[in-house]
Amino acid sequence: MKKSYQSLEDNSTNNMKQVIYRNLTSKILYLGFILLLTFSTSLSAQEGDPVNGKKVFLANCASCHKLDKVMTGPALRNVEARLAEEHGLDREWINAWIRNSAAVIKSGDPYANKIYNEYNQSPMTALASLTDQDISDVLAYTAQPKPEPVVPTVDPNTNTQGEGGVSNNIILGALAVLFGLLAMALILVKRTLNRFAEAKGIEVPSKKGGDSIWKAFVQNQFLVLVTAIFFLLASGYFAYGYFMQIGVDQGYEPVQPIHYSHRIHAGDNGIDCKYCHSSARVSKTSGIPSLNVCMNCHKSISEVAPATLAEGKEYGVDYNAEIQKLYDAVGWDGTAYTGDSKPVKWIRVHNLPDFAYFNHSQHVTVGGIECQTCHGPVEEMEIMYQDAPLTMGWCINCHRETNVKVKDNAYYTKIHEQLSKKYGVEQLTAAQMGGLECGKCHY
Amino acid sequence: MHINMKIAAKYIVVSILLVSFVSCQKNSRPNYQYMPNMYESVGYETYQESDAFANGVEAQLPAEGTIPRGDFMPFEIDNTTEGYEEAKLNLTSPLDSTQVDYEQGKVLYDIYCAICHGTKGDGNGTLAKKELIIPGSYADKDITTGSIYHTIYYGKNTMGSYANQLSETERWHVVAYVEKLKADLKK
C-alpha cells in the first residue's frame, strides 16, 4: 500500500512540475501551490458537483459500472464511503486506482488485487485524463442517495390505468344489465297488453297477417324462385370465401413463450430489424435470433423504465418478468452465465408451405425491399402477427408492380437492355424478368 | 304459430352456424390447410423439435473444429485480457485499402453498432441517449485495428460478441469504418 502511495506521489509531483514550469517561475510559489492543491483536493472532496459528476460518469464509467447493480465492474453507489469504512481506503487510493488501476494492482495492494480477481481479472480502463475535480464530481454523484420515490410514482399510474380497465368493464356490465332489464320490461308489457286484449275480447291481428304473408309468398312461385336463387348465390359466395381462406394465415397471432414486444425494440428504440434477424441479409431465412443476441443488450438492461413498465400493464404484461424469462432460458444469474440454458419454444408466425421457395437475402439485400413491405408495421406490433396473406396472388401482384433496380449492375446490362427492348419499357418489373415463371418458386 | 316456431328454429340454426364460423377464426392458432403433407416439410426444418438429438432440438452446434465453407478463417487469438492486448498490438486487417468498402462498413455499422455507439461513433446511440447502454465515444478509447476486431469478435465488458451476426470480411469492413469514425471525431 505504502508503495502505491509513493508511486502516486511521484506521479503527481511529476505532473505538478510540468504544470509549474509552464506557469510559475518561483520555487516558493511552487511549494505554496502544492500546499494549496493538497488542501484543495481534500476540500473539494466535499464540494463535488453531482451534476457534472453525472456527465463524467456517463462518459467514462457507465459502460462498465452502474450505481446499484454489478455490471462488468462493481456497483458504485456510495463507493467512497464504503471504501473508507470497510477497507480504510482514502481518496488518494481512489484517484490512483481510477487513473491507473494496473499500477495499483502491480504494486501489490491487497484490496486492489482482491477486486481484480473478483471481477474475472478484467482490468479497468486507465482514465488518466480525469482531473481531481472530475473524480470528486463523480464521487459526489455516486454519493447521492438512491432515488426511491420513482417506484411509488409509477404504481399510482398503473393502478389508475388498471382501475380504468375495471371501470370500463363495470360500465359495459351495467349496460348489459340495463338492456336485459329493458328486454324484460318489453316482454312484460307485451304480456299485459295481450291479457288486456283477451279480457276485452279483441283478437290480435298480427298473427293472421303473418300467416297470410307467408301463404302469399309460398303461392308466388316467381318470388320463391328469386329468393332461392338469391340464397344459393349468397351461400356460394360465402362458401367460396370460406374455402379460399383455408391455408391463409393472415392475422395469425400466436402467444409466444416470452412476450417480446417489437413495438418497444423496433419502434421505441429504433433497433434495425437486421440487428436481430441478421441472417435475412445473407440467407434464405430471416432467422430467429439466438438468445446471445438478446443478451448483447439485456446483459445491461435487466429492467425496463418505469414508464415502459406502466405501458406494459395496459397490455397485461410485466416486462421485467419477461426479461427474467430470458435470463432463465439463457442461464444468466445477473452477472455471469451459469451454463444451465434451455431452448425457448418460439412459435413461428410466417410459414410458407413447403412447395414454395422464398429467399430473404434475394429480397432484402439484392432487391433492397423494406421488411415492412411484407411484414407490415412490425414496429407498432406489441404482439407479432402475420400482416400479409402470403398467398401466391399476393406474391405475383408485387412482382408485377415492382420495378427492379438494374442500374449499376454491369454484369447484366446486356440482358436488361434486351428485355427492355422486348417489352418496350424503360423500367423492367420483376415479372418481366421472369418473376412469374413457375419454376422460380415451385420446384 | 306452428310456422313461427319453424322460422324461429331456422334463425337459431343459422345464428349457431354463424357463431361457430366466427369462433373458429381464432388468431392464436394457425388456420386449416388443404393438404398438410404438401405444406409441411418432410425433412427437418431449421428450428424444429426433434427426437433425433438429446436436447430435443433440430438446430445443433457444429462439431468442434468444424470450418464453414467460404468466408472464414479461424481466429486464433484467445478471449482473454492477454489475447486482447496481443490483438491490440499485432493484429492487422487482411484487407488492403482498395478492398475496404466503407459504404458497406457504414451500412453494417449503422445496423449493428450505431444503436449504442451512435452513427458518428460519439457514443450517442438511441440506447445511450436513454441511458440504457452507455458505451462512450471512440475518441476517448484507446483502440487499434486489432483491438476493435477482437472486441467485435468476442465482445468486451458489457458489449457482446458480434461474431455470429457479421462474417469475417464484414467485421473487417466495420473495423475500418470504426477507425474512420474515430479519426473523424479526433479532427
Side-chain angles (χ1 to χ4, degrees), chain A residues 97-158:
Chain A
W97 173 266
I98 291 174
R99 294 206 179 107
N100 191 354
S101 65
V104 182
I105 293 162
K106 251 190 190 166
S107 73
D109 183 281
Y111 180 71
N113 277 291
K114 182 177 158 263
I115 272 284
Y116 179 60
N117 291 324
E118 209 171 290
Y119 286 90
N120 304 322
Q121 306 205 328
S122 51
M124 175 167 148
T125 314
L127 299 164
S129 60
L130 290 189
T131 63
D132 283 355
Q133 187 60 45
D134 285 338
I135 293 176
S136 59
D137 288 350
V138 168
L139 289 173
Y141 171 63
T142 59
Q144 283 183 323
K146 195 175 177 179
E148 289 294 348
V150 172
V151 180
T153 48
V154 178
D155 282 343
N157 275 343
T158 53

Side-chain angles (χ1 to χ4, degrees), chain A residues 243 247 249 253 269 275 354, chain B residues 27 31-32 34 39 130 162:
Chain A
F243 287 123
D249 282 318
E253 191 179 38
N269 291 333
Y275 182 97
D354 194 35
Chain B
N27 282 336
N31 205 341
Y32 299 105
Y34 279 116
Y39 278 69
K130 294 188 173 188
Y162 284 76

Side-chain angles (χ1 to χ4, degrees), chain A residues 157-177:
Chain A
N157 275 343
T158 53
N159 278 347
T160 49
Q161 273 152 357
E163 278 162 17
V166 170
S167 64
N168 269 349
N169 281 346
I170 289 174
I171 289 170
L172 281 176
L175 272 176
V177 169

Side-chain angles (χ1 to χ4, degrees), chain A residues 58 63-64 71-72 121 243 245-249 251-253 268-269 274-275 278 281 288 296 354-355, chain B residues 27 29-32 34 38-39 41 47 81 108 111-112 115 126 130 134 157-158 160 162 164-165 170:
Chain A
L58 290 183
S63 54
C64 298
M71 259 208 318
T72 313
Q121 306 205 328
F243 287 123
Q245 60 84 43
I246 286 181
V248 177
D249 282 318
Y252 178 38
E253 191 179 38
D268 292 357
N269 291 333
K274 286 166 266 183
Y275 182 97
S278 54
R281 286 189 300 118
I288 298 167
N296 278 352
D354 194 35
F355 54 75
Chain B
N27 282 336
R29 64 164 185 246
N31 205 341
Y32 299 105
Y34 279 116
M38 283 187 73
Y39 278 69
S41 165
Y47 302 105
T81 314
L108 295 170
I111 295 174
Y112 295 107
I115 188 70
T126 319
K130 294 188 173 188
I134 304 145
N157 297 338
T158 37
Y162 284 76
N164 76 333
Q165 280 144 294
E170 286 173 343

